[in-house]
Amino acid sequence: MPAPKGKEAVLQEFRDELVQQGLLHDGDTIGTDDETLLRFLRARNYQLKQALLMWKNCRHWRSTVEDVGIDELYREIDPFDYPERDHVFDCWPLYFHKVRWPSTQLPHFGGIDLNKLQKKMTLERFWKTFVVNCELLPREILPAASEAANKRVLGTFVIVDLSGFGISQFWQMKDYARSSFQVSQDYFPETVARLAIVNAPRGFAAIWNVMKPWIAKETAAKVAIMGSDYKSKLLELVDDDALPARLGGKCTCEGLGGCMKSSAGPWLRERAARRQAWLAGERDTLALLPGELTGPVQVKRAVPPPAVTPSMSADTDASCRRQPTRATHRIRRLSTHRLERRQASLCTSRHTQRASLTSPSKKCDPRMP
């Protein structure tokens, strides 16, 4: 989405300030393109000072989160493949799935069970997996969605399923929910394009009144709360062959472990090869690059040194013979200096020998035999 009319100057000033303050560098994984900068500006209503503070805080968080920083954490934990992933999905389901947007995030709050979760992993470890899933969205999901859509995709459609969700679960997970909202809004701003809450139970209004203050006004304005009669509304936004069957669509991801665990989408195209190349330093990003949706994985190739041919070697030798080096000139200067000293010494010796035969005032000619 382009900047509102008259805001282009603010964007340029924002970029200039970031560069001047040393807060923006080529290759930063936070993102350096205009759309990334615009996300921070929109989150702060184009108030430059507030956007600068938000960016600065985000950079600090990215460099210090979990004492290692987000880049190192993303290397340690693959959001698509870590040992406890199946267990996490059984206790706190949260996944991305193919849709017309073309990416949807589908948390199922009704499946949350933190007591069960802690039987196989600590809450600290779980939080780390949540953080890398947040980073997954701008780092891999949105770039792949953009490549598949052949246009820039700036946000995801979040569908929160509350089937089976009750007040007891809410009190169990409210602290984590609040922290997750804070991380999403403060460090990944404007990545939620739309949010739908489906299967909202009776009494959810009371829960929503507790949750609403945690959510930024801009995000709250994007929320649509629906009861059980939501399918027709979702199908206006999502293709039925891409919407999971449990939400009224036709997709089952048969043969892929089901929609929840398959995480089906263009972001999985040759992902194992892309991640391996990224970890080996053979590519700068894990994101799907232009052309990789249908073509091979792009890696950086080491440039071999030029082959030395006999003719090149001969030319080099001839060049060295023709063009004296600095060392050669220095040696020549030293040799000349030594020769002059030797001639002077010989002159002194001859002068001494002839002193008794000639006048003392006779000058010595170095050229004399």
mmCIF file of all heavy atoms in Angstrom, residues 177-223:
data_model
loop_
_atom_site.group_PDB
_atom_site.id
_atom_site.type_symbol
_atom_site.label_atom_id
_atom_site.label_comp_id
_atom_site.label_asym_id
_atom_site.label_seq_id
_atom_site.Cartn_x
_atom_site.Cartn_y
_atom_site.Cartn_z
ATOM 1 N N ALA A 177 -1.174 -14.433 26.185
ATOM 2 C CA ALA A 177 -1.900 -13.740 25.126
ATOM 3 C C ALA A 177 -1.539 -12.258 25.116
ATOM 4 O O ALA A 177 -1.298 -11.665 24.058
ATOM 5 C CB ALA A 177 -3.395 -13.926 25.312
ATOM 6 N N ARG A 178 -1.485 -11.675 26.294
ATOM 7 C CA ARG A 178 -1.152 -10.251 26.380
ATOM 8 C C ARG A 178 0.270 -10.002 25.877
ATOM 9 O O ARG A 178 0.523 -9.042 25.136
ATOM 10 C CB ARG A 178 -1.297 -9.777 27.826
ATOM 11 C CG ARG A 178 -1.084 -8.290 28.003
ATOM 12 C CD ARG A 178 -1.406 -7.864 29.425
ATOM 13 N NE ARG A 178 -1.360 -6.415 29.584
ATOM 14 C CZ ARG A 178 -1.725 -5.778 30.683
ATOM 15 N NH1 ARG A 178 -2.165 -6.472 31.731
ATOM 16 N NH2 ARG A 178 -1.653 -4.463 30.751
ATOM 17 N N SER A 179 1.207 -10.851 26.277
ATOM 18 C CA SER A 179 2.594 -10.701 25.825
ATOM 19 C C SER A 179 2.709 -10.895 24.314
ATOM 20 O O SER A 179 3.480 -10.193 23.650
ATOM 21 C CB SER A 179 3.500 -11.706 26.542
ATOM 22 O OG SER A 179 3.522 -11.470 27.939
ATOM 23 N N SER A 180 1.936 -11.851 23.784
ATOM 24 C CA SER A 180 1.985 -12.094 22.340
ATOM 25 C C SER A 180 1.453 -10.901 21.560
ATOM 26 O O SER A 180 2.005 -10.528 20.517
ATOM 27 C CB SER A 180 1.198 -13.357 21.991
ATOM 28 O OG SER A 180 -0.187 -13.175 22.215
ATOM 29 N N PHE A 181 0.394 -10.262 22.064
ATOM 30 C CA PHE A 181 -0.127 -9.068 21.404
ATOM 31 C C PHE A 181 0.931 -7.957 21.416
ATOM 32 O O PHE A 181 1.106 -7.238 20.437
ATOM 33 C CB PHE A 181 -1.395 -8.578 22.099
ATOM 34 C CG PHE A 181 -2.614 -9.396 21.791
ATOM 35 C CD1 PHE A 181 -3.491 -9.775 22.801
ATOM 36 C CD2 PHE A 181 -2.894 -9.801 20.502
ATOM 37 C CE1 PHE A 181 -4.611 -10.533 22.527
ATOM 38 C CE2 PHE A 181 -4.023 -10.551 20.205
ATOM 39 C CZ PHE A 181 -4.885 -10.925 21.223
ATOM 40 N N GLN A 182 1.625 -7.819 22.541
ATOM 41 C CA GLN A 182 2.627 -6.769 22.669
ATOM 42 C C GLN A 182 3.765 -6.984 21.682
ATOM 43 O O GLN A 182 4.198 -6.043 20.996
ATOM 44 C CB GLN A 182 3.184 -6.728 24.090
ATOM 45 C CG GLN A 182 4.262 -5.658 24.269
ATOM 46 C CD GLN A 182 4.875 -5.684 25.668
ATOM 47 O OE1 GLN A 182 4.442 -6.434 26.529
ATOM 48 N NE2 GLN A 182 5.893 -4.859 25.873
ATOM 49 N N VAL A 183 4.275 -8.213 21.588
ATOM 50 C CA VAL A 183 5.365 -8.517 20.659
ATOM 51 C C VAL A 183 4.932 -8.247 19.223
ATOM 52 O O VAL A 183 5.656 -7.620 18.437
ATOM 53 C CB VAL A 183 5.825 -9.983 20.818
ATOM 54 C CG1 VAL A 183 6.727 -10.404 19.658
ATOM 55 C CG2 VAL A 183 6.546 -10.174 22.140
ATOM 56 N N SER A 184 3.753 -8.704 18.871
ATOM 57 C CA SER A 184 3.258 -8.523 17.513
ATOM 58 C C SER A 184 3.112 -7.051 17.148
ATOM 59 O O SER A 184 3.520 -6.616 16.064
ATOM 60 C CB SER A 184 1.922 -9.249 17.357
ATOM 61 O OG SER A 184 1.393 -9.056 16.057
ATOM 62 N N GLN A 185 2.547 -6.271 18.044
ATOM 63 C CA GLN A 185 2.262 -4.869 17.748
ATOM 64 C C GLN A 185 3.499 -3.991 17.827
ATOM 65 O O GLN A 185 3.664 -3.072 17.019
ATOM 66 C CB GLN A 185 1.199 -4.339 18.716
ATOM 67 C CG GLN A 185 -0.145 -4.998 18.526
ATOM 68 C CD GLN A 185 -1.157 -4.615 19.594
ATOM 69 O OE1 GLN A 185 -2.349 -4.752 19.416
ATOM 70 N NE2 GLN A 185 -0.678 -4.140 20.737
ATOM 71 N N ASP A 186 4.392 -4.252 18.785
ATOM 72 C CA ASP A 186 5.551 -3.385 18.979
ATOM 73 C C ASP A 186 6.691 -3.696 18.028
ATOM 74 O O ASP A 186 7.426 -2.788 17.619
ATOM 75 C CB ASP A 186 6.063 -3.492 20.413
ATOM 76 C CG ASP A 186 5.091 -2.901 21.422
ATOM 77 O OD1 ASP A 186 4.114 -2.252 20.987
ATOM 78 O OD2 ASP A 186 5.306 -3.078 22.638
ATOM 79 N N TYR A 187 6.866 -4.977 17.660
ATOM 80 C CA TYR A 187 8.041 -5.368 16.895
ATOM 81 C C TYR A 187 7.721 -5.899 15.496
ATOM 82 O O TYR A 187 8.638 -6.042 14.676
ATOM 83 C CB TYR A 187 8.836 -6.409 17.685
ATOM 84 C CG TYR A 187 9.099 -5.976 19.108
ATOM 85 C CD1 TYR A 187 8.801 -6.802 20.192
ATOM 86 C CD2 TYR A 187 9.633 -4.712 19.382
ATOM 87 C CE1 TYR A 187 9.032 -6.387 21.496
ATOM 88 C CE2 TYR A 187 9.857 -4.293 20.685
ATOM 89 C CZ TYR A 187 9.554 -5.131 21.733
ATOM 90 O OH TYR A 187 9.769 -4.720 23.022
ATOM 91 N N PHE A 188 6.449 -6.160 15.226
ATOM 92 C CA PHE A 188 6.021 -6.587 13.887
ATOM 93 C C PHE A 188 4.765 -5.805 13.504
ATOM 94 O O PHE A 188 3.722 -6.382 13.207
ATOM 95 C CB PHE A 188 5.752 -8.097 13.866
ATOM 96 C CG PHE A 188 6.920 -8.924 14.306
ATOM 97 C CD1 PHE A 188 7.059 -9.332 15.632
ATOM 98 C CD2 PHE A 188 7.905 -9.289 13.395
ATOM 99 C CE1 PHE A 188 8.146 -10.087 16.045
ATOM 100 C CE2 PHE A 188 9.004 -10.043 13.796
ATOM 101 C CZ PHE A 188 9.121 -10.442 15.116
ATOM 102 N N PRO A 189 4.848 -4.479 13.512
ATOM 103 C CA PRO A 189 3.642 -3.659 13.335
ATOM 104 C C PRO A 189 3.029 -3.791 11.946
ATOM 105 O O PRO A 189 3.721 -4.038 10.960
ATOM 106 C CB PRO A 189 4.172 -2.238 13.572
ATOM 107 C CG PRO A 189 5.610 -2.303 13.153
ATOM 108 C CD PRO A 189 6.075 -3.658 13.612
ATOM 109 N N GLU A 190 1.729 -3.637 11.899
ATOM 110 C CA GLU A 190 0.980 -3.582 10.646
ATOM 111 C C GLU A 190 1.202 -4.805 9.756
ATOM 112 O O GLU A 190 1.231 -4.704 8.538
ATOM 113 C CB GLU A 190 1.353 -2.315 9.881
ATOM 114 C CG GLU A 190 0.922 -1.030 10.566
ATOM 115 C CD GLU A 190 -0.598 -0.883 10.620
ATOM 116 O OE1 GLU A 190 -1.235 -0.940 9.567
ATOM 117 O OE2 GLU A 190 -1.130 -0.711 11.734
ATOM 118 N N THR A 191 1.362 -5.984 10.383
ATOM 119 C CA THR A 191 1.459 -7.226 9.596
ATOM 120 C C THR A 191 0.139 -7.984 9.603
ATOM 121 O O THR A 191 0.018 -8.995 8.909
ATOM 122 C CB THR A 191 2.576 -8.133 10.142
ATOM 123 O OG1 THR A 191 2.388 -8.345 11.536
ATOM 124 C CG2 THR A 191 3.946 -7.522 9.893
ATOM 125 N N VAL A 192 -0.829 -7.527 10.385
ATOM 126 C CA VAL A 192 -2.169 -8.119 10.382
ATOM 127 C C VAL A 192 -3.060 -7.249 9.501
ATOM 128 O O VAL A 192 -3.353 -6.105 9.831
ATOM 129 C CB VAL A 192 -2.750 -8.209 11.805
ATOM 130 C CG1 VAL A 192 -4.199 -8.721 11.755
ATOM 131 C CG2 VAL A 192 -1.894 -9.125 12.671
ATOM 132 N N ALA A 193 -3.482 -7.821 8.373
ATOM 133 C CA ALA A 193 -4.338 -7.066 7.457
ATOM 134 C C ALA A 193 -5.803 -7.136 7.883
ATOM 135 O O ALA A 193 -6.564 -6.185 7.710
ATOM 136 C CB ALA A 193 -4.182 -7.604 6.035
ATOM 137 N N ARG A 194 -6.179 -8.278 8.456
ATOM 138 C CA ARG A 194 -7.577 -8.473 8.875
ATOM 139 C C ARG A 194 -7.602 -9.549 9.952
ATOM 140 O O ARG A 194 -6.775 -10.469 9.954
ATOM 141 C CB ARG A 194 -8.411 -8.906 7.676
ATOM 142 C CG ARG A 194 -9.900 -8.877 7.914
ATOM 143 C CD ARG A 194 -10.643 -9.061 6.596
ATOM 144 N NE ARG A 194 -12.054 -8.762 6.766
ATOM 145 C CZ ARG A 194 -12.783 -8.116 5.879
ATOM 146 N NH1 ARG A 194 -12.230 -7.679 4.771
ATOM 147 N NH2 ARG A 194 -14.063 -7.893 6.089
ATOM 148 N N LEU A 195 -8.553 -9.454 10.881
ATOM 149 C CA LEU A 195 -8.651 -10.434 11.959
ATOM 150 C C LEU A 195 -10.116 -10.793 12.181
ATOM 151 O O LEU A 195 -10.944 -9.906 12.428
ATOM 152 C CB LEU A 195 -8.032 -9.882 13.244
ATOM 153 C CG LEU A 195 -7.747 -10.874 14.377
ATOM 154 C CD1 LEU A 195 -6.607 -10.364 15.261
ATOM 155 C CD2 LEU A 195 -8.982 -11.133 15.228
ATOM 156 N N ALA A 196 -10.393 -12.074 12.072
ATOM 157 C CA ALA A 196 -11.754 -12.564 12.301
ATOM 158 C C ALA A 196 -11.754 -13.539 13.467
ATOM 159 O O ALA A 196 -10.909 -14.439 13.543
ATOM 160 C CB ALA A 196 -12.288 -13.253 11.049
ATOM 161 N N ILE A 197 -12.678 -13.349 14.391
ATOM 162 C CA ILE A 197 -12.849 -14.269 15.521
ATOM 163 C C ILE A 197 -14.125 -15.058 15.272
ATOM 164 O O ILE A 197 -15.221 -14.487 15.211
ATOM 165 C CB ILE A 197 -12.939 -13.492 16.849
ATOM 166 C CG1 ILE A 197 -11.644 -12.709 17.090
ATOM 167 C CG2 ILE A 197 -13.200 -14.446 18.006
ATOM 168 C CD1 ILE A 197 -11.682 -11.842 18.332
ATOM 169 N N VAL A 198 -13.980 -16.381 15.092
ATOM 170 C CA VAL A 198 -15.129 -17.218 14.763
ATOM 171 C C VAL A 198 -15.431 -18.172 15.918
ATOM 172 O O VAL A 198 -14.593 -18.446 16.769
ATOM 173 C CB VAL A 198 -14.880 -18.019 13.473
ATOM 174 C CG1 VAL A 198 -14.589 -17.067 12.309
ATOM 175 C CG2 VAL A 198 -13.730 -19.011 13.635
ATOM 176 N N ASN A 199 -16.656 -18.662 15.920
ATOM 177 C CA ASN A 199 -17.126 -19.567 16.978
ATOM 178 C C ASN A 199 -17.019 -18.916 18.356
ATOM 179 O O ASN A 199 -16.728 -19.595 19.359
ATOM 180 C CB ASN A 199 -16.343 -20.890 16.961
ATOM 181 C CG ASN A 199 -16.705 -21.752 15.769
ATOM 182 O OD1 ASN A 199 -17.886 -21.908 15.429
ATOM 183 N ND2 ASN A 199 -15.693 -22.310 15.114
ATOM 184 N N ALA A 200 -17.249 -17.621 18.400
ATOM 185 C CA ALA A 200 -17.194 -16.925 19.690
ATOM 186 C C ALA A 200 -18.301 -17.443 20.600
ATOM 187 O O ALA A 200 -19.473 -17.421 20.236
ATOM 188 C CB ALA A 200 -17.350 -15.432 19.475
ATOM 189 N N PRO A 201 -17.955 -17.945 21.786
ATOM 190 C CA PRO A 201 -18.968 -18.505 22.687
ATOM 191 C C PRO A 201 -19.767 -17.417 23.399
ATOM 192 O O PRO A 201 -19.401 -16.238 23.386
ATOM 193 C CB PRO A 201 -18.130 -19.300 23.685
ATOM 194 C CG PRO A 201 -16.845 -18.532 23.766
ATOM 195 C CD PRO A 201 -16.607 -18.000 22.370
ATOM 196 N N ARG A 202 -20.840 -17.839 24.002
ATOM 197 C CA ARG A 202 -21.590 -16.897 24.838
ATOM 198 C C ARG A 202 -20.705 -16.435 25.983
ATOM 199 O O ARG A 202 -19.947 -17.204 26.559
ATOM 200 C CB ARG A 202 -22.836 -17.568 25.391
ATOM 201 C CG ARG A 202 -23.892 -17.900 24.331
ATOM 202 C CD ARG A 202 -25.106 -18.530 24.981
ATOM 203 N NE ARG A 202 -26.134 -18.828 23.982
ATOM 204 C CZ ARG A 202 -27.306 -19.413 24.281
ATOM 205 N NH1 ARG A 202 -27.583 -19.724 25.550
ATOM 206 N NH2 ARG A 202 -28.180 -19.644 23.317
ATOM 207 N N GLY A 203 -20.822 -15.215 26.302
ATOM 208 C CA GLY A 203 -19.994 -14.676 27.367
ATOM 209 C C GLY A 203 -18.655 -14.161 26.875
ATOM 210 O O GLY A 203 -17.847 -13.656 27.673
ATOM 211 N N PHE A 204 -18.398 -14.277 25.567
ATOM 212 C CA PHE A 204 -17.114 -13.807 25.055
ATOM 213 C C PHE A 204 -16.994 -12.285 25.158
ATOM 214 O O PHE A 204 -15.885 -11.752 25.234
ATOM 215 C CB PHE A 204 -16.923 -14.229 23.592
ATOM 216 C CG PHE A 204 -15.634 -13.734 22.989
ATOM 217 C CD1 PHE A 204 -14.424 -14.277 23.376
ATOM 218 C CD2 PHE A 204 -15.636 -12.692 22.065
ATOM 219 C CE1 PHE A 204 -13.234 -13.798 22.845
ATOM 220 C CE2 PHE A 204 -14.460 -12.213 21.528
ATOM 221 C CZ PHE A 204 -13.247 -12.776 21.921
ATOM 222 N N ALA A 205 -18.115 -11.609 25.195
ATOM 223 C CA ALA A 205 -18.075 -10.150 25.306
ATOM 224 C C ALA A 205 -17.289 -9.717 26.543
ATOM 225 O O ALA A 205 -16.533 -8.731 26.507
ATOM 226 C CB ALA A 205 -19.491 -9.593 25.354
ATOM 227 N N ALA A 206 -17.441 -10.464 27.633
ATOM 228 C CA ALA A 206 -16.716 -10.123 28.863
ATOM 229 C C ALA A 206 -15.212 -10.342 28.674
ATOM 230 O O ALA A 206 -14.384 -9.533 29.123
ATOM 231 C CB ALA A 206 -17.235 -10.963 30.029
ATOM 232 N N ILE A 207 -14.864 -11.436 27.999
ATOM 233 C CA ILE A 207 -13.454 -11.717 27.716
ATOM 234 C C ILE A 207 -12.875 -10.644 26.798
ATOM 235 O O ILE A 207 -11.757 -10.157 26.999
ATOM 236 C CB ILE A 207 -13.298 -13.118 27.091
ATOM 237 C CG1 ILE A 207 -13.737 -14.189 28.091
ATOM 238 C CG2 ILE A 207 -11.864 -13.358 26.645
ATOM 239 C CD1 ILE A 207 -13.720 -15.606 27.533
ATOM 240 N N TRP A 208 -13.652 -10.262 25.798
ATOM 241 C CA TRP A 208 -13.192 -9.259 24.842
ATOM 242 C C TRP A 208 -12.961 -7.912 25.526
ATOM 243 O O TRP A 208 -12.015 -7.195 25.190
ATOM 244 C CB TRP A 208 -14.204 -9.123 23.713
ATOM 245 C CG TRP A 208 -13.846 -8.080 22.684
ATOM 246 C CD1 TRP A 208 -14.531 -6.945 22.381
ATOM 247 C CD2 TRP A 208 -12.702 -8.087 21.821
ATOM 248 N NE1 TRP A 208 -13.899 -6.247 21.395
ATOM 249 C CE2 TRP A 208 -12.760 -6.915 21.024
ATOM 250 C CE3 TRP A 208 -11.627 -8.960 21.645
ATOM 251 C CZ2 TRP A 208 -11.806 -6.605 20.070
ATOM 252 C CZ3 TRP A 208 -10.664 -8.640 20.698
ATOM 253 C CH2 TRP A 208 -10.763 -7.487 19.925
ATOM 254 N N ASN A 209 -13.773 -7.590 26.488
ATOM 255 C CA ASN A 209 -13.588 -6.333 27.212
ATOM 256 C C ASN A 209 -12.269 -6.312 27.984
ATOM 257 O O ASN A 209 -11.674 -5.258 28.189
ATOM 258 C CB ASN A 209 -14.756 -6.100 28.178
ATOM 259 C CG ASN A 209 -16.028 -5.707 27.451
ATOM 260 O OD1 ASN A 209 -15.986 -5.163 26.341
ATOM 261 N ND2 ASN A 209 -17.179 -6.001 28.071
ATOM 262 N N VAL A 210 -11.807 -7.507 28.412
ATOM 263 C CA VAL A 210 -10.518 -7.604 29.089
ATOM 264 C C VAL A 210 -9.378 -7.510 28.080
ATOM 265 O O VAL A 210 -8.353 -6.856 28.327
ATOM 266 C CB VAL A 210 -10.415 -8.925 29.890
ATOM 267 C CG1 VAL A 210 -9.021 -9.075 30.500
ATOM 268 C CG2 VAL A 210 -11.476 -8.973 30.976
ATOM 269 N N MET A 211 -9.571 -8.154 26.921
ATOM 270 C CA MET A 211 -8.507 -8.221 25.925
ATOM 271 C C MET A 211 -8.346 -6.934 25.114
ATOM 272 O O MET A 211 -7.235 -6.594 24.693
ATOM 273 C CB MET A 211 -8.771 -9.387 24.969
ATOM 274 C CG MET A 211 -8.736 -10.752 25.614
ATOM 275 S SD MET A 211 -9.188 -12.057 24.438
ATOM 276 C CE MET A 211 -7.866 -11.902 23.228
ATOM 277 N N LYS A 212 -9.414 -6.247 24.885
ATOM 278 C CA LYS A 212 -9.386 -5.109 23.967
ATOM 279 C C LYS A 212 -8.354 -4.047 24.326
ATOM 280 O O LYS A 212 -7.682 -3.500 23.430
ATOM 281 C CB LYS A 212 -10.783 -4.488 23.867
ATOM 282 C CG LYS A 212 -10.955 -3.576 22.671
ATOM 283 C CD LYS A 212 -12.412 -3.166 22.501
ATOM 284 C CE LYS A 212 -12.591 -2.276 21.286
ATOM 285 N NZ LYS A 212 -14.020 -1.885 21.085
ATOM 286 N N PRO A 213 -8.164 -3.715 25.611
ATOM 287 C CA PRO A 213 -7.141 -2.711 25.939
ATOM 288 C C PRO A 213 -5.721 -3.149 25.572
ATOM 289 O O PRO A 213 -4.825 -2.299 25.477
ATOM 290 C CB PRO A 213 -7.293 -2.533 27.456
ATOM 291 C CG PRO A 213 -8.706 -2.933 27.739
ATOM 292 C CD PRO A 213 -8.972 -4.059 26.793
ATOM 293 N N TRP A 214 -5.492 -4.457 25.396
ATOM 294 C CA TRP A 214 -4.168 -4.933 25.031
ATOM 295 C C TRP A 214 -3.860 -4.677 23.557
ATOM 296 O O TRP A 214 -2.699 -4.746 23.148
ATOM 297 C CB TRP A 214 -4.041 -6.436 25.280
ATOM 298 C CG TRP A 214 -4.405 -6.900 26.642
ATOM 299 C CD1 TRP A 214 -4.500 -6.144 27.782
ATOM 300 C CD2 TRP A 214 -4.731 -8.236 27.036
ATOM 301 N NE1 TRP A 214 -4.866 -6.926 28.844
ATOM 302 C CE2 TRP A 214 -5.011 -8.223 28.428
ATOM 303 C CE3 TRP A 214 -4.792 -9.447 26.364
ATOM 304 C CZ2 TRP A 214 -5.354 -9.358 29.136
ATOM 305 C CZ3 TRP A 214 -5.137 -10.588 27.058
ATOM 306 C CH2 TRP A 214 -5.419 -10.552 28.431
ATOM 307 N N ILE A 215 -4.882 -4.445 22.784
ATOM 308 C CA ILE A 215 -4.745 -4.376 21.333
ATOM 309 C C ILE A 215 -4.737 -2.921 20.869
ATOM 310 O O ILE A 215 -5.529 -2.102 21.341
ATOM 311 C CB ILE A 215 -5.900 -5.141 20.645
ATOM 312 C CG1 ILE A 215 -5.937 -6.582 21.146
ATOM 313 C CG2 ILE A 215 -5.768 -5.103 19.132
ATOM 314 C CD1 ILE A 215 -7.127 -7.365 20.647
ATOM 315 N N ALA A 216 -3.837 -2.617 19.960
ATOM 316 C CA ALA A 216 -3.766 -1.256 19.421
ATOM 317 C C ALA A 216 -5.078 -0.905 18.727
ATOM 318 O O ALA A 216 -5.753 -1.772 18.167
ATOM 319 C CB ALA A 216 -2.614 -1.158 18.424
ATOM 320 N N LYS A 217 -5.432 0.363 18.775
ATOM 321 C CA LYS A 217 -6.684 0.806 18.176
ATOM 322 C C LYS A 217 -6.753 0.466 16.691
ATOM 323 O O LYS A 217 -7.800 0.097 16.169
ATOM 324 C CB LYS A 217 -6.851 2.309 18.377
ATOM 325 C CG LYS A 217 -7.019 2.731 19.827
ATOM 326 C CD LYS A 217 -7.163 4.238 19.945
ATOM 327 C CE LYS A 217 -7.337 4.665 21.405
ATOM 328 N NZ LYS A 217 -7.453 6.149 21.524
ATOM 329 N N GLU A 218 -5.607 0.590 16.018
ATOM 330 C CA GLU A 218 -5.575 0.289 14.590
ATOM 331 C C GLU A 218 -5.878 -1.184 14.331
ATOM 332 O O GLU A 218 -6.548 -1.521 13.361
ATOM 333 C CB GLU A 218 -4.202 0.646 14.003
ATOM 334 C CG GLU A 218 -3.864 2.136 14.012
ATOM 335 C CD GLU A 218 -3.422 2.634 15.375
ATOM 336 O OE1 GLU A 218 -3.215 1.793 16.282
ATOM 337 O OE2 GLU A 218 -3.294 3.866 15.534
ATOM 338 N N THR A 219 -5.395 -2.066 15.223
ATOM 339 C CA THR A 219 -5.657 -3.498 15.075
ATOM 340 C C THR A 219 -7.090 -3.820 15.454
ATOM 341 O O THR A 219 -7.766 -4.608 14.770
ATOM 342 C CB THR A 219 -4.694 -4.316 15.954
ATOM 343 O OG1 THR A 219 -3.343 -4.007 15.592
ATOM 344 C CG2 THR A 219 -4.932 -5.808 15.781
ATOM 345 N N ALA A 220 -7.578 -3.221 16.536
ATOM 346 C CA ALA A 220 -8.950 -3.474 16.983
ATOM 347 C C ALA A 220 -9.955 -3.097 15.907
ATOM 348 O O ALA A 220 -11.008 -3.738 15.772
ATOM 349 C CB ALA A 220 -9.231 -2.701 18.270
ATOM 350 N N ALA A 221 -9.631 -2.078 15.112
ATOM 351 C CA ALA A 221 -10.549 -1.654 14.054
ATOM 352 C C ALA A 221 -10.655 -2.690 12.939
ATOM 353 O O ALA A 221 -11.603 -2.664 12.148
ATOM 354 C CB ALA A 221 -10.078 -0.323 13.477
ATOM 355 N N LYS A 222 -9.698 -3.610 12.882
ATOM 356 C CA LYS A 222 -9.699 -4.638 11.839
ATOM 357 C C LYS A 222 -10.387 -5.927 12.289
ATOM 358 O O LYS A 222 -10.492 -6.883 11.517
ATOM 359 C CB LYS A 222 -8.262 -4.970 11.427
ATOM 360 C CG LYS A 222 -7.457 -3.773 10.948
ATOM 361 C CD LYS A 222 -6.006 -4.147 10.738
ATOM 362 C CE LYS A 222 -5.154 -2.941 10.375
ATOM 363 N NZ LYS A 222 -3.717 -3.289 10.235
ATOM 364 N N VAL A 223 -10.836 -5.985 13.554
ATOM 365 C CA VAL A 223 -11.397 -7.209 14.122
ATOM 366 C C VAL A 223 -12.886 -7.340 13.807
ATOM 367 O O VAL A 223 -13.649 -6.380 13.963
ATOM 368 C CB VAL A 223 -11.179 -7.241 15.651
ATOM 369 C CG1 VAL A 223 -11.849 -8.470 16.263
ATOM 370 C CG2 VAL A 223 -9.683 -7.229 15.968
#
